[in-house]
Amino acid sequence: MASLQKIALFIFFDSIESDLIWNIRKFLPAQHYQMFTSQEAIKATDNLSRRNSSHNLDDPFELLSALDLGEKYDILMRLKKWMDNSSYQHFSTMKKHFDKCISVRNTVMHGRPLTIDEYAVAFALTSELIKFPTYWPTLNQAYKQYSKDPNSIAETAIKYLDEFTTSETFNNLPYPDYDDTGFFPRRRLEADLKKKILGRHPVITVLGDGGDGKTAVTLQTVYGLLSSNDHDFDAIIWVSAKSSKLTGPEIERIETKITNSMAAFEGVSDIFEDGASDPMDKVLSLMKDNKILLVIDNLETIIDKRLRKFAEDVPGESKLVLTSRVPLGSDLTVHVEPFTESEALSFLRVLISSFNVRALRNETEARLIHFAARLHNKPLLLKWFALGVLSGLSPSNIVSDPKQALRFCLENVFDKLAPVTKRHLAALASLPSAASLAVLAHVTEDDVLLLEASVAELLRYAIVEQVQENGYETSFQVKPLAKSYLVRVLKMSANDSKESMKRFRQIDGLYQNERAANAHNKFNPSNYTIRSKSEALAVKKLKIAVSLAKDEDYLSAFSLIDELKVTNSDYFEVYRVEAYVASLSGDNPRAQDAYISATEIGIDQPQVHIMYGGFLLRTFNDPETALEQFEAAIILDKKASFAHIEASRASLYLSRFDIAQEHLDNAITVASNDIKTQNILSDLQVQIFWRKIDLLMKQSDEVEISGALANFASFLSGFSVSDIDILLVRRFKGYLRSINSFKNECKGSTLNGLLGLETQISELLFIAGIPQLNDRTPNAQTSKTRVGTLKQAGKKPTFGFIIDLEGTEVFVFKGDTKPEVWKAMLTGSKVRFDITGDGTDRTKAENVTLA
């Protein structure tokens, strides 16, 4: 049955048309005036002749009654020259209101559902016209009656709202249950659904949770197709498999014959013809021979194999539209979500006005928004709430425990979940935040592939949603409505929740520890960049993989890495470790592929570019490509000294000495002051000077050679023992051998420069405690004094080993050193010492002093 508002509009439009005819009679000239255009006359005669009762087709006012609202208004306005100025001003001012209402009047006349906007437009016209009772007496009388007793208008006779068109597409569309308020426009969804219905794909599913308005959107869209007539369907058939409705404190079960797919097909076939043949075959034949739009509402209650098979091959040019809480698969979908906050507020105000819910009229906007949010902004629940308040229930009590509403919205969906999926859902719902597959695997202790299948099912049923909390990792969380259902209706086990939280907290501790380690130095390959809890879990496994690889168990290491590629496919450290393991195993092509993946995924991580560049430089001897990676790292982090150092080294290999020096200067500016880093910088500077000299010697450019030798000598003049390490000692020994060979080919300033450089290097070796020259002949300046540092590995509280600048290890006893010297040795300071023996092969350090 139509709502009182809808009936009121029938009465109001009928009254307006009656008043239009009354005004036409009033202003019509007495003689020889042609009231109709030829087109209007033909239409009026045709419409009137098809009425069931007899009419006088020669009576112009009988013909006038057969025209619609817009045509009657046009005829009235053609009488303007016989109107007084006041009347003309009034009727011409009303034109904009009539223009808006013509389509609304036609919708009312056809019995199609109205939107809340159309209700507003129609009542706005009424409100405007009743201000002028002189021109609209019938409408004024009808409006007064409606205002005094709304129910009385249901019995009022209607004279002018007749319709004579026979061209409308055959259909059995139901009367909408939202007619009492009007349809709340959802234009984007309606446009999207209409586009898909008129498109090429044969199956469209309107998908969403219970109560979100799937049926309303679909029905309004299909009614819109009928109204606009911009389709070519021969028939539009609606089948409802709805088995329940939410009417108050309980869920009312609907008695229906549609309990499975065969019953649905039987319902469709019986609309056209009775018969004992197979209903599905009959429907297939109908849809093959005609272009039919078949709509099945509430699919989830009847979905079975036969229906799936039917949807896989819809015959002819017919279309199948489904509304469902669960997806069918292989279909186009239109997702219907709950209202936005502003939409929910507007709809709630419409409900309050339509049902005259006095208890909510004076509620603040904030309170109404609160009520709507508690009901998850769902259209059905908002209407259920308004009717509940109208019946006398407390608004707060309704929203505090809406068990029946939750059951109505989600019961059908949860019943279809596999047991293992329900268990995984309960675990996810017990967590305080969204969780990735890796976190879920740890919390549930289940195989990640099993979890992946459960999450896919939950996503398909729209119970969980994907979130990107950090921009680089996909996590999942239970939707608020589903979580309410789990807590309020299913009442999850407290013990299960407690165990899940215990394992979740373990991840948090692991996450904090790993982040602290990475904060110290992210450019150390042994450290890992961690941005989430699931990455902390991944690092735990990556460390195991690295340990396995070092023990040459590459198969187990790669197996762990492959597992992480499923749970942490977007984590660059997984691919960096894969590259390292592949390199250890000798599979350099795989290592390179893994590094490429790591740099693509971790494109904003400078350390990954540095490590890939180092691999290219040292394994593939490709300084050109390596330099590109180092420079990419520098762009990301200009203070990354190691990137500048590596870029300098790659440029050096390419003999681009100026660029190498520029990168080294930048490194010196930003590098830390620790001994190891400073030794690296010194070593790199020595290499730049020497390689340039070596290249110039081959080119025999005496002037440039002399300048290069002088620059190197100047640099070495500032050296002290703290600048020399084992690597530099080896280089200096090699340089002395090269100088010895160069001397035979040089003369003049070049020879003098070489001799001076030879002396400087020899003196530095002497200072460093090197006992002999590179050719192992005794050095006149050499004593037994050595220089070295305390070896950190294996040191004890009372003794240790000093390793000198040639790599020789010598025992040292704490009691043979002064307290301040031992303390300095523990922090890595260089010391000078003598070596003594006891007549056996054992040696020890004596006379230990700071170098």
Side-chain angles (χ1 to χ4, degrees):
M1 179 179 175
S3 68
L4 286 177
Q5 287 194 97
K6 186 74 165 285
I7 294 172
L9 290 187
F10 271 94
I11 302 301
F12 294 160
F13 278 122
D14 185 71
S15 299
I16 291 169
E17 295 199 41
S18 177
D19 285 334
L20 280 171
I21 292 175
W22 178 76
N23 279 294
I24 290 171
R25 283 180 177 274
K26 177 179 176 182
F27 294 109
L28 190 70
Q31 298 177 351
H32 308 297
Y33 179 77
Q34 186 65 39
M35 187 187 304
F36 305 111
T37 65
S38 59
Q39 187 176 2
E40 289 168 347
I42 293 171
K43 179 179 178 181
T45 302
D46 183 56
N47 287 343
L48 203 59
S49 64
R50 285 188 281 110
R51 287 186 176 177
N52 294 329
S53 56
S54 59
H55 293 278
N56 182 3
L57 299 181
D58 294 325
D59 183 347
F61 292 101
E62 286 244 24
L63 289 175
L64 183 59
S65 68
L67 296 177
D68 65 26
L69 177 70
E71 291 161 336
K72 291 183 179 77
Y73 178 78
D74 289 341
I75 290 171
L76 174 64
M77 292 309 294
R78 291 203 292 268
L79 302 176
K80 59 186 178 182
K81 66 180 180 179
W82 290 283
M83 296 180 187
D84 57 88
N85 187 58
S86 177
S87 297
Y88 173 70
Q89 288 294 326
H90 169 72
F91 290 121
S92 60
T93 303
M94 292 298 111
K95 184 178 187 307
K96 59 183 179 181
H97 294 286
F98 275 96
D99 287 345
K100 288 180 181 179
C101 276
I102 290 171
S103 62
V104 180
R105 180 265 186 195
N106 292 337
T107 300
V108 171
M109 176 187 62
H110 280 275
R112 297 187 187 121
L114 289 166
T115 68
I116 60 171
D117 290 345
E118 288 173 323
Y119 270 122
V121 166
F123 278 107
L125 173 65
T126 303
S127 298
E128 193 63 33
L129 296 182
I130 61 173
K131 296 176 184 177
F132 304 93
T134 304
Y135 300 112
W136 310 99
T138 309
L139 175 62
N140 264 268
Q141 186 61 35
Y143 188 81
K144 286 178 181 178
Q145 182 185 354
Y146 173 70
S147 301
K148 182 179 180 181
D149 182 10
N151 291 298
S152 66
I153 65 168
E155 299 176 359
T156 303
I158 299 173
K159 294 163 52 178
Y160 295 107
L161 293 183
D162 295 323
E163 174 56 24
F164 308 99
T165 58
T166 58
S167 61
E168 188 168 275
T169 304
F170 174 77
N171 71 87
N172 70 332
L173 294 181
Y175 207 68
D177 57 8
Y178 54 81
D179 201 54
D180 44 11
T181 61
F183 178 74
F184 190 92
R186 305 184 80 171
R187 292 182 178 85
R188 183 189 62 78
L189 286 172
E190 294 172 68
D192 187 24
L193 179 55
K194 180 178 179 180
K195 180 181 178 182
K196 286 181 168 66
I197 290 174
L198 298 179
R200 299 175 61 184
H201 204 282
V203 183
I204 303 99
T205 299
V206 182
L207 200 62
D209 291 340
D212 283 343
K214 302 181 297 297
T215 300
V217 168
T218 305
L219 191 56
Q220 187 69 19
T221 302
V222 176
Y223 265 117
L225 283 174
L226 284 177
S227 178
S228 61
N229 203 31
D230 55 355
H231 66 89
D232 56 355
F233 292 110
D234 300 314
I236 298 176
I237 305 303
W238 183 281
V239 177
S240 178
K242 187 173 289 188
S243 60
S244 63
K245 63 180 178 178
L246 189 63
T247 58
E250 296 295 332
I251 299 172
E252 180 182 325
R253 301 298 170 183
I254 299 173
E255 291 189 15
T256 176
K257 295 180 180 179
I258 310 298
T259 57
N260 55 44
S261 63
M262 289 310 297
F265 292 131
E266 187 174 327
V268 174
S269 63
D270 286 349
I271 292 172
F272 294 93
E273 58 177 315
D274 294 329
S277 61
D278 183 271
M280 185 172 178
D281 291 341
K282 196 183 295 184
V283 171
L284 286 169
S285 178
L286 283 167
M287 296 182 77
K288 181 181 178 181
D289 297 338
N290 306 277
K291 187 169 184 179
I292 292 175
L293 176 62
L294 174 59
V295 185
I296 301 179
D297 186 33
N298 271 60
L299 171 77
E300 72 273 1
T301 61
I302 60 168
I303 190 169
D304 56 27
K305 290 182 179 178
R306 290 190 64 133
L307 189 55
R308 289 183 187 277
K309 184 178 179 181
F310 174 79
E312 287 174 2
D313 189 19
V314 175
E317 296 183 11
S318 292
K319 295 289 183 72
L320 177 62
V321 175
L322 312 165
T323 76
S324 180
R325 304 179 192 185
V326 298
L328 184 67
S330 71
D331 49 345
L332 283 181
T333 56
V334 175
H335 288 270
V336 178
E337 300 288 344
F339 283 149
T340 63
E341 181 182 283
S342 61
E343 287 174 334
L345 179 63
S346 297
F347 184 56
L348 196 48
R349 291 199 183 283
V350 169
L351 291 167
I352 293 168
S353 174
S354 298
F355 297 125
N356 193 23
V357 188
R358 292 187 176 88
L360 294 175
R361 281 192 179 278
N362 296 323
E363 290 285 5
T364 64
E365 181 173 294
R367 284 281 288 170
L368 292 178
I369 289 173
H370 165 73
F371 292 143
R374 293 285 291 170
L375 297 166
H376 305 278
N377 293 336
K378 287 179 169 290
L380 176 67
L381 299 192
L382 292 171
K383 186 173 181 180
W384 171 76
F385 167 74
L387 292 173
V389 176
L390 184 64
S391 71
L393 298 176
S394 163
S396 298
N397 289 345
I398 294 175
V399 299
S400 65
D401 191 18
K403 285 192 182 70
Q404 295 304 326
L406 291 170
R407 194 184 299 277
F408 176 82
C409 292
L410 292 170
E411 191 172 48
N412 286 345
V413 178
F414 273 78
D415 286 347
K416 293 184 180 297
L417 295 178
V420 67
T421 303
K422 290 180 181 178
R423 180 163 58 81
H424 292 156
L425 174 62
L428 181 59
S430 69
L431 302 181
S433 60
S436 65
L437 279 176
V439 170
L440 279 175
H442 180 82
V443 168
T444 62
E445 297 184 293
D446 272 347
D447 180 80
V448 69
L449 295 178
L450 192 63
L451 276 163
E452 198 173 30
S454 290
V455 169
E457 184 177 13
L458 293 169
L459 284 170
R460 193 164 62 249
Y461 288 176
I463 293 173
V464 303
E465 58 188 346
Q466 291 184 350
V467 292
Q468 287 268 330
E469 290 183 322
N470 43 36
Y472 43 76
E473 178 181 70
T474 299
S475 296
F476 306 93
Q477 66 183 12
V478 182
K479 286 187 172 182
L481 185 73
K483 196 159 189 173
S484 294
Y485 183 81
L486 285 166
V487 173
R488 296 175 183 274
V489 180
L490 296 186
K491 299 188 182 299
M492 293 185 303
S493 166
N495 289 333
D496 290 344
S497 176
K498 186 177 180 181
E499 185 61 30
S500 296
M501 279 304 302
K502 179 181 176 182
R503 296 187 62 78
F504 185 76
R505 291 192 189 97
Q506 292 173 352
I507 304 172
D508 193 59
L510 184 65
Y511 173 63
Q512 299 301 336
N513 291 339
E514 292 294 345
R515 279 181 65 87
N518 179 255
H520 180 66
N521 181 12
K522 67 181 177 182
F523 298 103
N524 184 340
S526 298
N527 294 336
Y528 299 83
T529 297
I530 295 173
R531 305 160 298 181
S532 68
K533 292 179 174 65
S534 64
E535 289 182 353
L537 288 170
V539 166
K540 185 178 179 181
K541 294 181 179 180
L542 288 174
K543 288 182 175 180
I544 296 172
V546 169
S547 180
L548 289 168
K550 288 179 177 178
D551 291 337
E552 299 185 2
D553 186 358
Y554 302 117
L555 188 62
S556 299
F558 282 129
S559 178
L560 265 178
I561 290 167
D562 288 340
E563 179 184 318
L564 289 169
K565 284 183 178 180
V566 176
T567 58
N568 299 83
S569 58
D570 294 331
Y571 187 27
F572 60 88
E573 293 286 24
V574 173
Y575 302 92
R576 178 177 74 84
V577 172
E578 180 187 19
Y580 173 73
V581 173
S583 181
L584 280 183
S585 71
D587 190 349
N588 289 328
R590 178 171 180 173
Q592 185 174 25
D593 285 344
Y595 267 127
I596 291 171
S597 296
T599 53
E600 288 174 347
I601 296 170
I603 193 169
D604 59 343
Q605 300 293 322
Q607 71 276 18
V608 179
H609 293 282
I610 292 172
M611 293 171 197
Y612 180 33
F615 171 81
L616 291 169
L617 189 64
R618 294 169 180 85
T619 303
F620 283 174
N621 192 28
D622 184 3
E624 190 80 55
T625 310
L627 183 59
E628 293 174 4
Q629 292 297 320
F630 299 140
E631 289 177 340
I634 291 169
I635 291 172
L636 292 169
D637 186 355
K638 290 182 172 57
K639 293 184 178 180
S641 60
F642 198 62
H644 290 291
I645 289 170
E646 290 285 73
S648 179
R649 186 172 283 119
S651 301
L652 183 59
Y653 290 163
L654 293 166
S655 298
R656 299 172 185 170
F657 302 115
D658 292 343
I659 296 175
Q661 187 64 56
E662 182 182 346
H663 281 300
L664 180 58
D665 291 341
N666 289 331
I668 292 170
T669 302
V670 297
S672 62
N673 290 322
D674 64 277
I675 294 172
K676 183 178 179 180
T677 302
Q678 292 303 314
N679 285 341
I680 290 172
L681 295 172
S682 296
D683 174 67
L684 193 51
Q685 184 65 79
V686 165
Q687 287 189 72
I688 292 174
F689 281 125
W690 180 257
R691 290 199 180 209
K692 188 172 183 180
I693 290 169
D694 186 57
L695 182 63
L696 291 171
M697 290 296 294
K698 293 171 183 176
Q699 296 174 348
S700 301
D701 189 330
E702 189 170 337
V703 176
E704 285 199 51
I705 292 171
S706 296
L709 288 168
N711 289 336
F712 194 12
S714 176
F715 174 71
L716 291 179
S717 65
F719 252 48
S720 66
V721 69
S722 63
D723 298 316
I724 304 174
D725 61 4
I726 292 176
L727 187 58
L728 264 181
V729 167
R730 292 173 186 165
R731 294 201 194 282
F732 283 158
K733 285 184 175 183
Y735 296 165
L736 287 176
R737 285 194 293 269
S738 296
I739 288 171
N740 198 43
S741 64
F742 288 157
K743 286 190 294 187
N744 298 327
E745 303 172 9
C746 298
K747 56 185 178 180
S749 60
T750 300
L751 180 59
N752 292 334
L754 284 171
L755 293 173
L757 188 59
E758 183 180 43
T759 301
Q760 274 187 293
I761 292 174
S762 296
E763 288 175 348
L764 286 172
L765 289 173
F766 173 74
I767 293 170
I770 306 304
Q772 58 187 19
L773 295 175
N774 55 330
D775 59 0
R776 295 189 179 277
T777 58
N779 185 344
Q781 305 181 75
T782 298
S783 71
K784 291 188 295 182
T785 301
R786 301 290 187 96
V787 173
T789 55
L790 184 66
K791 186 178 179 182
Q792 297 301 306
K795 68 183 178 183
K796 302 296 180 182
T798 58
F799 68 88
F801 290 87
I802 299 176
I803 182 168
D804 72 8
L805 294 179
E806 286 190 309
T808 304
E809 295 185 14
V810 182
F811 175 82
V812 61
F813 180 59
K814 179 181 178 182
D816 292 340
T817 67
K818 293 180 179 180
E820 64 270 18
V821 174
W822 181 259
K823 185 177 180 181
M825 289 169 64
L826 291 174
T827 62
S829 295
K830 284 188 173 72
V831 293
R832 196 176 295 280
F833 62 96
D834 293 330
I835 298 177
T836 63
D838 59 2
T840 68
D841 291 337
R842 292 183 299 179
T843 60
K844 70 173 185 175
E846 289 188 345
N847 303 324
V848 182
T849 60
L850 291 175

